[in-house]
Amino acid sequence: MKPTPLVSVALAALTVAYPAVVFFGHQHLDPRWLALALVVLAVLRAWASRQALWLVAAVGALGLAAGTAWGGGWLPLKLYPVWVNVVLLLVFAGSLWQGPPVIERLARLTEPELPPQAVAYTRRVTQVWCGFFVLNGSLAAYTALACSEQAWALYNGLLAYGLMGLLFGAEWCVRQRVKASVKHG
């Protein structure tokens, strides 16, 4: 049974809201309850997407939840954004070796016949996203290990998404220039 679009959107929204849930839950709940919620969310997200990426994320969530259940601390829960960045890095970097690169696959959804310059460009963009996941995952780890709950929630619940949006926007602008130069050159 495939989930409805509403269920998929709700699961995506809960995933995005995860840092806020942990932040507010930190003040009122035992971390084991949030660990259970993380596992349920990750398993539902894997089921809804039916993508290996989210299945691997669910396995990692189960490991982090086990760490919280065993030790009763918040740190494993705060490491989930790090885990998601590691999984995304592995998917994107792996696609560079066992192509086609992720961005090329996405580009071919709208333009099945890509010129050689576009194929090279999508490879470069995939590499840029790999760099982003390294940087974002490192900052997520730093905030989990060395910062206050507020700083962790601010970075992982807002700033990381803002940086992702900036990268999407900058790439879109560059792509328009590359497309124009290919047309006219």
Side-chain angles (χ1 to χ4, degrees):
M1 180 170 124
K2 189 162 170 76
T4 66
L6 182 61
V7 169
S8 296
V9 168
L11 290 171
L14 285 171
T15 302
V16 169
Y18 176 78
V21 171
V22 171
F23 176 72
F24 290 111
H26 189 272
Q27 300 168 12
H28 306 290
L29 296 172
D30 183 290
R32 291 174 183 98
W33 286 110
L34 284 176
L36 177 61
L38 171 61
V39 170
V40 169
L41 174 62
V43 168
L44 287 174
R45 182 79 195 247
W47 167 76
S49 71
R50 305 212 194 295
Q51 295 175 345
L53 161 73
W54 291 108
L55 180 59
V56 173
V59 170
L62 181 61
L64 293 170
T68 292
W70 180 60
W74 288 94
L75 181 60
L77 293 174
K78 290 168 50 179
L79 290 173
Y80 183 66
V82 177
W83 176 243
V84 170
N85 277 279
V86 167
V87 171
L88 288 168
L89 174 61
L90 292 173
V91 168
F92 276 62
S95 78
L96 291 169
W97 280 275
Q98 295 185 332
V102 169
I103 301 299
E104 180 182 339
R105 284 185 240 156
L106 293 172
R108 287 186 186 279
L109 293 174
T110 58
E111 283 186 56
E113 299 300 321
L114 291 176
Q117 301 95 326
V119 171
Y121 175 77
T122 60
R123 180 172 195 77
R124 175 64 65 192
V125 173
T126 301
Q127 293 168 340
V128 168
W129 276 103
C130 287
F132 175 81
F133 296 133
V134 168
L135 175 66
N136 194 48
S138 297
L139 289 170
Y142 176 76
T143 62
L145 297 170
C147 294
S148 68
E149 303 302 321
Q150 294 87 351
W152 176 84
L154 177 64
Y155 181 77
N156 292 285
L158 182 65
L159 297 177
Y161 293 116
L163 291 173
M164 194 178 302
L166 282 173
L167 181 54
F168 272 120
E171 188 279 322
W172 184 85
C173 291
V174 170
R175 184 176 353 129
Q176 301 315 306
R177 295 181 98 186
V178 169
K179 279 182 168 182
S181 71
V182 168
K183 269 187 186 172
H184 297 98

